[in-house]
Amino acid sequence: MKRNHIFFNRIFGVVAAFSLTAPACTKNFEKINTDPNGLWEKDLKGDYALYGGPFNQIQLSIHQYTPDWQYQLQQNLNADIWSGYMMTPVNFANNVNNTNYAMVDGWNDRIWLTAYGNVMSPALAVIQRAKADNFPNFEAWGLILKVMAMHRVSDFFGPIVYTKFGTINADGSVTYDSQQEAYTAFFKDLDDAQAKLAPYAEDANAPLAFGRFDLVYGGSYVKWMKFLNSLRLRLAIRIAKADPAKAKAEAEKALSNSFGVIETNAEDFIIDSKTITNPLNIISNNWLDINMGAPMESFLTGYSDPRLPIYFQPATDAAFAGQYRGIRSGIQMLDENTYLNFSRLGNLGTKTPMLTAAETWFLRAEAKLNGWADGGVASIKEAYEKGIQLSFSQWGLSNAAFDAYKVSTAKPKPYVDPKNAVNNVPAGSPVLSTVSPLWNEAGTTAEKREQILTQKWLAIYPESCEAWAEFRRTGYPKLFPVVVNNSNGVVPTGEFIKRVNFVISERENNQGGYQGAVQKLGGADNINTRLWWNVP
């Protein structure tokens, strides 16, 4: 345990130093945008390798597969915890860190650096090359993956460098898009990709040029079109409060497209490295740095959810061995042993689910709740139950298990911390959910939305970036606020973190861009300023 943490601290120092000197969209743009991997004609002749070679890195870096410490910084010590899915048993930085809203810039820089260095830069280079050489299929593929990666970055920070990436101003700065501008550009890029990819998807004899580079669909154009439509639907739902008309138009465009959206698990967008284990396996079971979160214990045990032993392992603490125990986030963590043997994560193998049929059916349920047109769904209940059923199926559970679950009137359990009662969430607490799996047709719109979002949250585990974004957008599922709030009053007591402040490298190396980004944010550059789509 100590050895791994010593290694982590050394890496942390390297990351902090790198964040001060890395390009991060402000330096050496010509090099970044013309030679992302040092792979060009002399190395990549034939078999589309010139265009497809960088896509392996691009796909793996949306969710940083390797090295494991980069994923720990990119997603695990932020969204994995803020989503309610997980919590660390370790008192990093003497218990003054992201988990209790004391932002560790050297951790959070990795969210930005990985996206721009490993996804945005090579994607833009491939898009430009494919466009110049008239390979619209690879151009479309690059556009789709760019949107997939960068909407996640925007959902952390708000304004991002997107449409002006690769363009340096006279003063050496790079201009940010507001989040609204970025989302508009996302939809435009999806339009462009759709127009370019559709002819290939419509042609049953089109060569599967993506084949050996595609870690998701083996080169299937039809499945990529379904994913594109599902991604459009996800983004449309996200902006439903901020721009209802645009949201409705984009959602209905996705739902009416002839290729449809992801409907079965055979169409799930799951990145499979084939050889590299999901970093969560290493972080939880080797380093012992991450465990089940308290909200997951409350919902999964309260519902007697059969996904529980798949998602997590029983605790090994002698006092309650064999039980499932989660750790509440933002608690006083005095040492690295007290919570060490609470439930660790189940084995995720080499796969990372990122947009599944279950999520898409819950998106359709909410779209139907919003009154948007969807000819493929008869009722909100149908889409809601289909989402649960597809999640169960995804994890290898039977239809019989689903049939029993969908009529359950069970409620989440109060949370009891066996180590410190200060962290308990008792029955009757306003932060303890009271919704059941059984669909409540007589419920209010708010109650129905809570049911949809609660089951969606359980279904899309462990995709925490999406779970955290949806919690901020809707307030569902009900999560437990931090017990120790080290934000120095920035986040009011009882409230939740709303974003990540802009990274060190941008504040120091892109001053002009940074100042413009703060203006476009519409509030202070801190963790309590709402994102554009996060309308109260």
Side-chain angles (χ1 to χ4, degrees), residues 102-114:
M103 293 295 97
V104 182
D105 286 331
W107 293 359
N108 300 326
D109 274 14
R110 182 51 55 184
I111 305 165
W112 185 275
L113 296 176
T114 296

Side-chain angles (χ1 to χ4, degrees), residues 286-357:
N286 291 15
W287 297 356
L288 312 183
D289 279 357
I290 203 72
N291 296 64
M292 170 197 273
M296 283 298 255
E297 178 195 329
S298 174
F299 282 100
L300 291 172
T301 61
Y303 291 160
S304 298
D305 194 308
R307 290 168 292 191
L308 175 58
I310 300 171
Y311 287 0
F312 299 101
Q313 302 174 52
T316 58
D317 190 299
F320 41 83
Q323 301 176 31
Y324 289 89
R325 292 287 185 166
I327 309 170
R328 184 169 174 178
S329 61
I331 63 175
Q332 187 64 40
M333 196 82 66
L334 297 178
D335 57 49
E336 299 183 359
N337 298 311
T338 302
Y339 294 91
L340 181 64
N341 293 318
F342 280 46
S343 292
R344 298 191 185 105
L345 277 54
N347 185 13
L348 293 165
T350 61
K351 297 180 179 180
T352 298
M354 301 204 72
L355 203 166
T356 63

